[in-house]
Amino acid sequence: MSNGIVIIYCHPYQKSFTHAVLESVQENLSNHNTPYKTINLYQDKFEPIYDLEELRIFSTGGTHDPLVEKYLNLLKSADSVIFITPIWWNDLPGMLKGFINKVMKEGDGLSHTVTKYGIKGGLTNIKHAYVLTSSTSPTFYFKIFMGNGIQKIFINQTLKQIGIKKRTWINFGRISNSTKLRRQKYLSRIRAYQFKAN
């Protein structure tokens, strides 16, 4: 059974702009009668680091963290995924990186397998990934002068490696110096955006 769209939300503060983006996405999907599930990493108190036991059973594709199993099952039955996260120090927050590290399990029927030719993605059921971020730096500065790590590594490599072919990145730059009007216009754009569930 499909979960439609799975939202992966990464921010601890409910009054943040990132949380406003989450609410706008949820409103959008509800208005379009698109089924969705939300993974709220901070609210779930997800533990983003490996402990010794989790690392010991890593090579088996197993886990002793019930959230890891829950999250991976959601992704295995999703049509699309929407990441909602800030960019901190030119990279993903540690919480979201830990989500990728722990949830993306190697093995048949999991997120990927490793072959002699490289990584073969297992989450091919996810037809489209949307990555909604905000950054202190202007988007052009982040892309041209700061290495463009989100696009080059997370989107073009990591998401591709787990089997997601279509990937869209939308960044709201200059968040610290943004006006209320500009933020409102962006949220209106997100509420009207066509997120495809397949």
Side-chain angles (χ1 to χ4, degrees):
M1 181 178 178
S2 172
N3 285 311
I5 292 178
V6 171
I7 300 169
I8 302 168
Y9 171 67
C10 181
H11 203 289
Y13 186 43
Q14 289 194 349
K15 294 185 179 180
S16 66
F17 180 71
T18 305
H19 195 269
V21 173
L22 169 66
E23 292 178 330
S24 296
V25 169
Q26 291 173 327
E27 181 180 339
N28 177 322
L29 299 179
S30 294
N31 288 342
H32 287 90
N33 296 313
T34 302
Y36 70 89
K37 301 280 187 181
T38 301
I39 293 173
N40 188 328
L41 295 174
Y42 281 95
Q43 183 175 285
D44 288 350
K45 295 180 169 42
F46 176 67
E47 178 54 67
I49 62 173
Y50 280 103
D51 59 22
L52 289 175
E53 177 62 15
E54 190 79 9
L55 193 57
R56 184 185 70 81
I57 59 178
F58 172 81
S59 62
T60 70
T63 181
H64 73 107
D65 184 338
L67 284 177
V68 168
E69 185 173 3
K70 174 185 175 181
Y71 294 163
L72 185 53
N73 284 336
L74 285 172
L75 292 174
K76 284 163 61 177
S77 59
D79 297 316
S80 294
V81 62
I82 302 173
F83 293 89
I84 303 174
T85 179
I87 296 173
W88 290 342
W89 286 103
N90 309 306
D91 204 349
L92 300 176
M95 176 69 88
L96 187 52
K97 293 175 77 172
F99 171 87
I100 298 296
N101 289 341
K102 284 184 68 177
V103 176
M104 301 310 158
K105 294 289 186 182
E106 177 188 345
D108 290 335
L110 301 177
S111 74
H112 66 284
T113 54
V114 179
T115 73
K116 63 181 180 180
Y117 301 108
I119 293 176
K120 180 179 179 181
L123 295 178
T124 54
N125 55 287
I126 300 177
K127 304 306 180 187
H128 205 136
Y130 301 88
V131 181
L132 308 184
T133 60
S134 59
S135 63
T136 301
S137 299
T139 301
F140 79 88
Y141 185 83
F142 185 82
K143 288 184 175 182
I144 297 173
F145 298 106
M146 302 304 291
N148 201 15
I150 302 298
Q151 182 76 58
K152 290 182 178 179
I153 299 174
F154 180 59
I155 296 172
N156 290 356
Q157 298 300 323
T158 303
L159 297 183
K160 179 181 178 181
Q161 285 179 314
I162 60 176
I164 305 174
K165 291 185 177 180
K166 294 182 180 179
R167 304 171 299 274
T168 300
W169 178 30
I170 303 172
N171 184 57
F172 185 88
R174 296 185 295 112
I175 182 66
S176 299
N177 299 316
S178 61
T179 64
K180 182 178 180 180
L181 178 60
R182 180 167 169 256
R183 293 193 298 272
Q184 289 175 336
K185 285 183 176 180
Y186 178 81
L187 294 176
S188 294
R189 174 190 172 194
I190 294 301
R191 286 192 291 271
Y193 193 87
Q194 292 295 314
F195 294 104
K196 297 180 181 179
N198 50 46

